[in-house]
Amino acid sequence: MKHAQVPILHLERPAFWTEASDPEAWFRALEVIATAALRTPQTGTPRTVAERCLLGTIAWRGAAGLFGVFHRAGLVRLPGVGLIEGDAAGHWGLSDEAQVLLRHWKENPSRGLESLSTYLVRESPWLRLLLLRLTHRDWMLLNWAEVSSSRTGLKAGISLLLQANAEPESWFAGLEQLAAGRWLARAQCQALGYAPEVFHRKKGKDDLSLTPLTAPLMLLESVGWLTRTGLLNLPGALQADLLGRSSPAQVLTELIRSHTDVLGFVAAEPVLRELLAAFGASPDQGAFARWMDALVEQAQRRGALELLAAEPGQARHGRGLFGDPGRKLVRWVVHDQFDDIFRNAWRVLETRQELTR
């Protein structure tokens, strides 16, 4: 973890549904939040929103993982995976992706669980950390069948062997971009750290632990992406995304698919920011705007990005195509020649320094 004087995204403890075999608890919580937000604007910290709306539905420790980025005490914080997100006015509600996931679950629970699995592999820094360390064989699952059938959960040093990067300070070392690049781009941060209170609790009182990751691993097993012996079997596109091996066209296609709202639209700027983040770039707003305009102009002119429709959006959706607020939300189809155009557009960013300041 970096702690230089640069904008830092502060992770809170890993948090998922507390009954590891009940991922649908999150869907039930999302349904309650959606109803509450329609009735009354939900403001405050994630904890106050959860205590106001979710009492009796899910415990705070399980609810925390639903929330996205917020600011508190001068810090940028990420308690969860962003299914509940805040807008510019400080109101919390379901993200576009959460609305789609909830619809999938209502239509077909099995489809909803697979969609949630895909979302978590793409969006949870904590789950991505674990999967990357397992893939690199830095860490190893031991006796997974016993863990998943008991109530003890993962235990570092017992059922999860940390053979390298064993200390919490080094868990994310070298993996910050792969584990959390999209969140770093969204929050416009350049480094990853822990929220200060993560290490300032009494021993035995809510320690920093990897045990909560038992829940998403059990979900992956239920959809066939983790074997009973603890071997990963992710779909090819997700595996490539995890390891940063997808082509620009593949990454953008998957971003569009995962962020599409119920009407088939995605927010152009956030999706393109995440595309850049997937390839290690986080330019300032001016450089990004130049790059976005050049990329979209070339891609549309050569038929690599097919624009089917465009609509206005909200402030959180950023600038529209070519700065047009009437074209913040788009329906796009990506074609293979997009890869060459993406590579050619890098020159618009001008200098490597501009990518990282």
Side-chain angles (χ1 to χ4, degrees), residues 216-274:
L217 282 187
M218 288 182 66
L219 176 61
L220 295 191
E221 183 186 335
S222 75
V223 298
W225 298 351
L226 182 69
T227 70
R228 288 289 288 164
T229 57
L231 296 178
L232 282 175
N233 185 31
L234 294 177
L238 271 183
Q239 181 75 3
D241 175 84
L242 179 70
L243 299 176
R245 294 176 181 168
S246 300
S247 71
Q250 290 170 330
V251 172
L252 183 55
T253 298
E254 180 58 25
L255 284 170
I256 290 171
R257 189 201 65 76
S258 64
H259 291 322
T260 296
D261 66 18
V262 293
L263 298 177
F265 287 89
V266 294
E269 176 179 336
V271 160
L272 291 177
R273 274 201 174 276
E274 291 185 36

Side-chain angles (χ1 to χ4, degrees), residues 53-65:
C53 301
L54 296 176
L55 192 64
T57 301
I58 189 172
W60 160 243
R61 287 178 61 193

Side-chain angles (χ1 to χ4, degrees), residues 163-223:
Q163 299 160 178
N165 300 94
E167 296 302 317
E169 292 84 354
S170 70
W171 283 351
F172 284 90
L175 298 178
E176 292 92 340
Q177 195 65 37
L178 285 174
R182 294 184 180 98
W183 284 108
L184 289 168
R186 290 168 189 156
Q188 298 188 36
C189 292
Q190 296 173 21
L192 202 58
Y194 296 124
E197 65 272 14
V198 165
F199 291 120
H200 293 90
R201 296 285 179 91
K202 289 183 180 179
K203 191 71 176 171
K205 287 276 193 178
D206 203 14
D207 297 333
L208 177 59
S209 168
L210 295 168
T211 298
L213 288 161
T214 310
L217 282 187
M218 288 182 66
L219 176 61
L220 295 191
E221 183 186 335
S222 75
V223 298

Side-chain angles (χ1 to χ4, degrees), residues 13-157:
R13 293 172 180 77
F16 299 89
W17 47 98
T18 50
E19 180 60 50
S21 61
D22 184 24
E24 291 182 297
W26 265 16
F27 288 108
R28 296 191 294 271
L30 289 175
E31 202 165 19
V32 171
I33 287 288
T35 300
L38 283 175
R39 189 169 54 245
T40 307
Q42 296 301 316
T43 60
T45 66
R47 182 153 196 155
T48 58
V49 172
E51 290 178 345
R52 181 188 310 128
C53 301
L54 296 176
L55 192 64
T57 301
I58 189 172
W60 160 243
R61 287 178 61 193
L66 291 166
F67 288 84
V69 168
F70 74 108
H71 294 73
R72 184 183 179 194
L75 300 180
V76 185
R77 295 167 174 264
L78 179 61
V81 300
L83 289 171
I84 300 173
E85 64 179 5
D87 62 18
H91 299 155
W92 292 94
L94 267 59
S95 68
D96 293 339
E97 296 90 338
Q99 294 176 47
V100 173
L101 287 178
L102 193 56
R103 176 168 56 85
H104 287 174
W105 176 65
K106 289 180 177 179
E107 293 171 352
N108 183 330
S110 295
R111 182 187 180 197
L113 292 175
E114 185 165 324
S115 296
L116 178 60
S117 301
T118 298
Y119 183 87
L120 292 180
V121 172
R122 287 180 42 79
E123 299 290 341
S124 169
W126 284 108
L127 181 57
R128 288 178 71 85
L129 166 69
L130 176 59
L131 298 182
L132 284 163
R133 289 293 180 206
L134 292 175
T135 300
H136 295 161
R137 302 194 178 188
D138 298 328
W139 298 353
M140 184 174 70
L141 289 176
L142 192 65
N143 300 322
W144 170 248
E146 294 178 19
V147 173
S148 62
S149 61
S150 69
R151 299 183 64 87
T152 57
L154 285 177
K155 298 291 183 184

